[in-house]
Amino acid sequence: MGSQSQFCHVRGNRFLDAQHLTKTYRVGGETVYALRDVTWSALQGDFVVINGPSGSGKTTFLNLISVIDRPSSGEVFIEGEPTSAKSEGQLAHLRKTKIGLVFQSFNLIPVLSTEENVEYPLLLQKRPRPERAARVEAMLREVGLTDFARRRPNELSGGQRQRVAIARALVTGPMIVLADEPTANLDSKTGETVMDLMRRLNEEHCVTFIVVTHDPAVSRYARRRVRIHDGQLEEGEPDGVATPAS
Amino acid sequence: MGWRLPLRSLWRNRRRTALSLAVIALGTAVSIFVLGFLENSRLQIQDSTVQQYGNLQVASPLLWDDTAEDYEYLISPSDADHVTALLAADATYRGSTRQLQFSGLLGANAQTQAIAVTAIEPANGVLDFAGLAVDGRGLIPSDTASAFVGRSLAKRLSLAVGDVVTMTLATVDGAYNASPFRIVGIYRYSNEQFESQVVFVPLAFGQRLLNTSGVDRLVVALDAVASTEPARSRLVAGLANYGFPLEARTWDELSPFYKQLASYFDALFGFLTLAISVLVFFIILQVLTLAFLERTREIGTLRALGATQGGVFRQFFAESAWLAGLGSLIGAVAGSLLVVAFNSAGILWTPPGTIDPFVLASRVGPSAALPVAVSVVATLLSALYPSTRASRLRVVDALRVD
């Protein structure tokens, strides 16, 4: 599994460009730099792991490239289109159609079942019911949760919840999935299972994954490894690509 | 998830939802009950007023304006016949009676009492008051020098059926006239003042006492209270065509008391509704603000997944709409049950100025839609601020909240 998948023919197309990204905050009258002049791009099919100590700017960077936050200066290009001038509604549309998000605390909607959580992004896209049903079923099969379709999040284990979150992120067929500390709330074995799943989906669906973590074990899965330190980003060599468990 | 997510969100914190539903339901139920009570009371007073005045009265403007010298306002028999013919052509017309009212002095048992005499067509079927008799009988066509007096007057002057008393009055020419007459019956009426002043006599006898062949008004009964205003319009047009200098007044115009009471009831209900709405508004505002605040991170998640600000607003507003709908529905049922329970209790009340108690009752009619609508609107208005605030959260800030 260490080599490129035979299914991912378009790997290498530049999908996301960050140009001179800077993010500052005002704290007690002083300007604090969360990110300084970061320029970086992700290619389609990448599996990028971003490491860095707490407070280094990892999550800030993820928020900027997932267009849920705006940079103080610089520009994020998605498929070559600048995003800074886009309205809130246009950014929401971008997130809805091109980007999948996986959160550290899963962020599932507690009153919805597994299948309804996965279905939610499709509803936002106003997909017809038969298509929604087919996609949800396929996605749940993909993440091995078919038997848990009717369960609510509080009836699932942490690993299962994160798999639901991954299914939710992928069900719309996004170009890129951004995961913020996806294994932080999981034990190591479950974390490994989740990372295996993400790598497999990256291989099979040619979806770009950008995973922010401070868990060294996750770095093994990186095709590209990036380190952020004091708001600055440096490209590193992967530790060695882990093979997803079959 | 159009309706599912908002509906299910109500059950996240069941105690809080129950409290919200209880507040909305209570407000709705109390409003329905009070509105029904006021409406029922108003209808009772309306029926009583129409019973007293008829739906319409036709008379010379001089009569009501109180500008006439002597009896210039009297309607001649031929004019009265024409007006009756005009009225009879109306589909809503049920009947009419001619009346002649004047004042006089009643002497009996060494006492004298000022009275208001109403000369009526006996057994006309319209406002002959015969059904109100508590002793003796009402007036009948063969009666001549007879009178039907009120219970209070009879009590005050120690009168009984069969007694012969004397009335003194001034004729239309200004001459004094006095005549004995026999009391054939005693009536009761809801209004004590009416009972103690109004004496009914046959029209022919009244005309003879007053020395005139005229009447001062025609009292018109229609098939329903709602027919009053349209019938008046048609009658006014007809009177104008014939060139009669007569005016038609409706029962509520003739009874300033009813108008004042109706305005008072409206103001009372308006105030109560406002107070309940404000209460519901602020409680629900508090509850929703807290509920939405607790879901800040979820709002961030929905936005991060691609929900628009409008979408989030609609979702939270829909949640409030469910709350408003369910709460007011429960309130409508509870209010109806309260009305049934209250009515079955048979509580008696004697309003000021009346003699006989009547059963206090409420009612649930189409107007109950008003409290329901007010509760829904108050709840939805209270949801505007928290829903707007929820939708305008910055995604990145919302996601940071634990």
Side-chain angles (χ1 to χ4, degrees):
Chain A
M1 208 67 169
S3 60
Q4 288 189 0
S5 164
Q6 57 177 320
F7 301 111
C8 188
H9 303 295
V10 289
R11 174 164 287 158
N13 287 352
R14 185 180 278 195
F15 171 73
L16 184 148
D17 264 317
Q19 295 288 331
H20 306 291
L21 287 187
T22 296
K23 183 71 180 177
T24 59
Y25 297 100
R26 298 286 294 175
V27 180
E30 286 189 19
T31 303
V32 175
Y33 282 83
L35 217 56
R36 288 172 188 266
D37 195 27
V38 169
T39 294
W40 185 79
S41 52
L43 306 178
Q44 191 169 352
D46 261 348
F47 197 104
V48 184
V49 174
I50 301 176
N51 289 120
S54 292
S56 59
K58 301 187 300 289
T59 300
T60 302
F61 181 62
L62 199 73
N63 289 342
L64 294 178
I65 61 176
S66 59
V67 296
I68 61 174
D69 198 5
R70 292 177 189 269
S72 304
S73 64
E75 184 66 85
V76 174
F77 295 86
I78 306 267
E79 287 188 314
E81 269 200 54
T83 58
S84 62
K86 287 187 185 294
S87 67
E88 279 299 314
Q90 288 170 321
L91 291 180
H93 183 74
L94 258 184
R95 292 194 293 271
K96 185 167 67 180
T97 53
K98 311 256 187 224
I99 298 168
L101 290 167
V102 177
F103 304 93
Q104 178 180 337
S105 305
F106 326 126
N107 290 22
L108 300 177
I109 300 168
V111 292
L112 299 182
S113 66
T114 294
E115 61 184 0
E116 287 168 340
N117 265 289
V118 176
E119 186 188 9
Y120 186 79
L122 296 171
L123 278 160
L124 290 177
Q125 293 190 346
K126 297 185 168 42
R127 303 273 181 164
R129 184 190 288 263
E131 185 190 339
R132 293 201 309 265
R135 280 193 182 220
V136 169
E137 191 189 348
M139 211 60 239
L140 289 180
R141 200 179 317 119
E142 192 93 65
V143 299
L145 287 175
T146 306
D147 294 340
F148 298 87
R150 299 288 165 91
R151 299 236 182 131
R152 295 275 176 94
N154 62 356
E155 298 168 325
L156 300 173
S157 68
Q160 287 168 333
R161 288 184 209 183
Q162 198 58 296
R163 280 192 278 158
V164 176
I166 292 167
R168 180 178 68 182
L170 282 164
V171 75
T172 56
M175 307 290 284
I176 189 165
V177 172
L178 302 161
D180 188 7
E181 305 277 10
T183 59
N185 284 341
L186 305 175
D187 61 60
S188 56
K189 192 168 183 320
T190 312
E192 208 167 283
T193 311
V194 166
M195 289 311 299
D196 283 343
L197 172 67
M198 286 165 70
R199 262 313 292 270
R200 181 166 61 80
L201 294 169
N202 163 252
E203 291 291 336
E204 291 177 2
H205 295 276
C206 208
V207 178
T208 305
F209 273 80
I210 298 177
V211 181
V212 161
T213 184
H214 61 260
D215 180 358
V218 173
S219 301
R220 297 188 301 123
Y221 292 85
R223 194 178 304 285
R224 283 173 72 189
R225 198 172 147 210
V226 172
R227 184 170 168 76
I228 296 187
H229 188 75
D230 287 343
Q232 291 187 310
L233 186 145
E234 56 192 49
E235 196 86 30
E237 289 300 316
D239 290 344
V241 177
T243 304
S246 53
Chain B
M1 227 63 60
W3 59 269
R4 266 180 290 167
L5 184 53
L7 180 61
R8 286 194 204 161
S9 292
L10 291 182
W11 311 119
R12 289 169 194 252
N13 187 329
R14 292 180 188 189
R15 189 182 297 177
R16 191 159 52 207
T17 299
L19 171 72
S20 305
L21 289 175
V23 166
I24 300 165
L26 187 67
T28 310
V30 169
S31 295
I32 285 176
F33 174 78
V34 173
L35 178 66
F37 179 76
L38 295 176
E39 180 74 1
N40 194 65
S41 304
R42 194 184 61 76
L43 283 175
Q44 280 184 326
I45 294 163
Q46 174 184 295
D47 287 346
S48 160
T49 310
V50 173
Q51 191 183 38
Q52 182 179 342
Y53 292 98
N55 291 80
L56 284 171
Q57 289 191 5
V58 184
S60 162
L62 297 172
L63 174 75
W64 288 312
D65 296 346
D66 208 17
T67 53
E69 291 177 12
D70 303 324
Y71 287 89
E72 297 165 303
Y73 51 75
L74 290 181
I75 305 168
S76 71
S78 62
D79 281 353
D81 288 344
H82 276 102
V83 174
T84 305
L86 200 60
L87 285 164
D90 197 290
T92 59
Y93 174 76
R94 219 188 66 210
S96 65
T97 183
R98 299 169 194 202
Q99 284 190 2
L100 178 61
Q101 294 184 8
F102 50 92
S103 53
L105 289 172
L106 186 69
N109 301 322
Q111 295 180 79
T112 304
Q113 167 82 41
I115 55 167
V117 181
T118 298
I120 59 172
E121 294 177 305
N124 172 283
V126 179
L127 291 180
D128 61 8
F129 299 93
L132 302 179
V134 287
D135 194 7
R137 58 167 175 78
L139 297 170
I140 56 174
S142 58
D143 282 334
T144 51
S146 311
F148 190 40
V149 301
R151 183 172 46 175
S152 298
L153 181 68
K155 192 176 172 188
R156 189 175 298 173
L157 298 182
S158 305
L159 301 176
V161 173
D163 286 355
V164 174
V165 292
T166 305
M167 188 190 319
T168 310
L169 72 157
T171 66
V172 293
D173 319 306
Y176 284 106
N177 194 3
S179 174
F181 60 87
R182 183 180 299 279
I183 295 169
V184 296
I186 295 172
Y187 70 84
R188 57 172 282 278
Y189 197 68
S190 57
N191 185 300
E192 187 174 9
Q193 194 183 3
F194 187 93
E195 259 191 14
S196 63
Q197 289 185 346
V198 178
V199 172
F200 295 102
V201 300
L203 181 62
F205 178 54
Q207 286 172 326
R208 202 173 72 227
L209 285 172
L210 215 55
N211 193 26
T212 179
S213 60
V215 294
D216 62 9
R217 73 196 72 202
L218 276 87
V219 180
V220 184
L222 301 171
D223 60 352
V225 175
S227 305
T228 306
E229 199 51 55
R232 191 250 288 269
S233 302
R234 290 189 291 270
L235 179 61
V236 166
L239 289 172
N241 281 342
Y242 281 95
F244 289 125
L246 296 176
E247 192 178 299
R249 290 199 178 178
T250 57
W251 59 272
D252 50 338
E253 289 171 343
L254 293 162
S255 171
F257 170 72
Y258 174 80
K259 275 189 149 177
Q260 287 166 3
L261 197 79
S263 302
Y264 172 71
F265 281 178
D266 287 347
L268 194 66
F269 179 70
F271 175 77
L272 183 90
T273 305
L274 184 70
I276 289 175
S277 304
V278 168
L279 202 67
V280 168
F281 176 86
F282 281 108
I283 292 175
I284 301 299
L285 175 69
Q286 183 93 353
V287 168
L288 291 180
T289 303
L290 192 64
F292 294 175
L293 197 68
E294 282 176 2
R295 279 148 61 190
T296 301
R297 190 170 16 167
E298 185 178 311
I299 295 164
T301 305
L302 299 179
R303 293 290 315 284
L305 293 175
T308 58
Q309 289 183 332
V312 170
F313 176 85
R314 280 192 295 277
Q315 186 200 310
F316 279 75
F317 199 69
E319 194 174 319
S320 313
W322 273 112
L323 204 60
L326 289 173
S328 53
L329 186 69
I330 295 168
V333 173
S336 305
L337 292 176
L338 186 63
V339 166
V340 170
F342 181 77
N343 290 353
S344 61
I347 301 166
L348 294 173
W349 182 56
T350 308
T354 61
I355 299 166
D356 296 326
F358 70 89
V359 179
L360 287 182
S362 184
R363 59 193 278 125
V364 180
S367 60
L370 182 64
V372 172
V374 168
S375 292
V376 169
V377 169
T379 307
L380 293 181
L381 283 177
S382 69
L384 277 180
Y385 170 70
S387 300
T388 305
R389 198 172 124 175
S391 68
R392 289 189 181 169
L393 284 171
R394 288 185 67 227
V395 185
V396 69
D397 293 336
L399 283 171
R400 270 194 211 115
V401 175
D402 284 327

